Amino acid sequence: MRYLFNYIYHFLISNSRHGTHSPFVYALAEKVIYNPTFKSKHQVEFPEGFKVKYYSKLKNILSFWEIEKLTDDLKENNSEAYWVKTIQDEEELISLIDSGKILIIHEPYKQIKKWKTLISNEEVTVSINLFHFGIILKREGQRKEDFLLRYLN
């Protein structure tokens, strides 16, 4: 019941691409998230057994950013993006963000306190909450912004 309430609340307070004032996030929303005809041009490697309902949308986002690999092993150094099912070691995650890595957080609303703590860190300049998953990254030259985007799976 709480999950449904959070979903409705997210839908009501979130923006579409037109409420997004960052050219970086607007381009992602316009070209990928709200574009059903977007086709992945780059191959993306996912962790073995990776099965989530937002798989195709996440694949398109990573392909758009030309990211070749998503891993769930935080110790693996040769990946550009990490999938985090449960936020545990916030310092380790901040360290990854600081080194230029992208974090994909599974269901941020189910771990909302840790999500908010993570995105409030100064190393995080962009957070995009799509309800089913969130994206956290650091972009040089961009001021800190947190985005709530509507994404109907």
Side-chain angles (χ1 to χ4, degrees):
M1 184 65 155
R2 181 78 176 158
Y3 189 77
L4 180 61
F5 173 76
N6 285 340
Y7 186 73
I8 292 168
Y9 179 74
H10 177 86
F11 184 81
L12 293 174
I13 66 168
S14 60
N15 294 314
S16 66
R17 64 185 158 267
H18 300 296
T20 304
H21 302 289
S22 162
F24 174 75
V25 177
Y26 182 86
L28 176 69
E30 178 73 20
K31 295 178 181 176
V32 182
I33 296 172
Y34 300 121
N35 181 0
T37 63
F38 179 83
K39 300 290 184 223
S40 298
K41 295 180 181 170
H42 297 87
Q43 187 66 22
V44 180
E45 181 184 333
F46 284 87
E48 188 174 323
F50 187 81
K51 294 187 190 311
V52 293
K53 58 185 169 182
Y54 51 83
Y55 173 85
S56 61
K57 190 59 68 180
L58 181 56
K59 179 182 174 196
N60 287 343
I61 290 169
L62 295 174
S63 174
F64 178 72
W65 285 336
E66 299 180 2
I67 293 172
E68 297 176 358
K69 183 176 183 179
L70 176 72
T71 184
D72 57 0
D73 181 1
L74 300 179
K75 303 293 184 208
E76 189 173 318
N77 293 327
N78 64 344
S79 184
E80 298 170 87
Y82 295 85
W83 185 68
V84 180
K85 187 169 184 174
T86 305
I87 299 170
Q88 292 180 17
D89 186 351
E90 292 169 24
E91 286 183 28
E92 182 177 26
L93 297 177
I94 293 300
S95 175
L96 288 170
I97 293 165
D98 189 38
S99 67
K101 307 298 183 177
I102 297 172
L103 300 183
I104 308 299
I105 309 293
H106 180 66
E107 297 182 327
Y109 274 97
K110 288 190 175 180
Q111 43 192 339
I112 194 70
K113 284 185 178 181
K114 291 182 178 182
W115 167 263
K116 286 182 178 181
T117 300
L118 200 56
I119 66 171
S120 68
N121 189 288
E122 290 303 314
E123 296 302 325
V124 174
T125 54
V126 177
S127 69
I128 305 169
N129 187 334
L130 295 154
F131 187 79
H132 300 292
F133 66 101
I135 303 169
I136 300 175
L137 58 119
K138 179 178 183 176
R139 285 194 75 232
E140 297 299 329
Q142 179 163 339
R143 68 181 176 94
K144 184 172 183 55
E145 291 187 84
D146 302 313
F147 299 92
L148 290 133
L149 296 181
R150 287 187 195 114
Y151 163 60
L152 302 174
N153 190 14

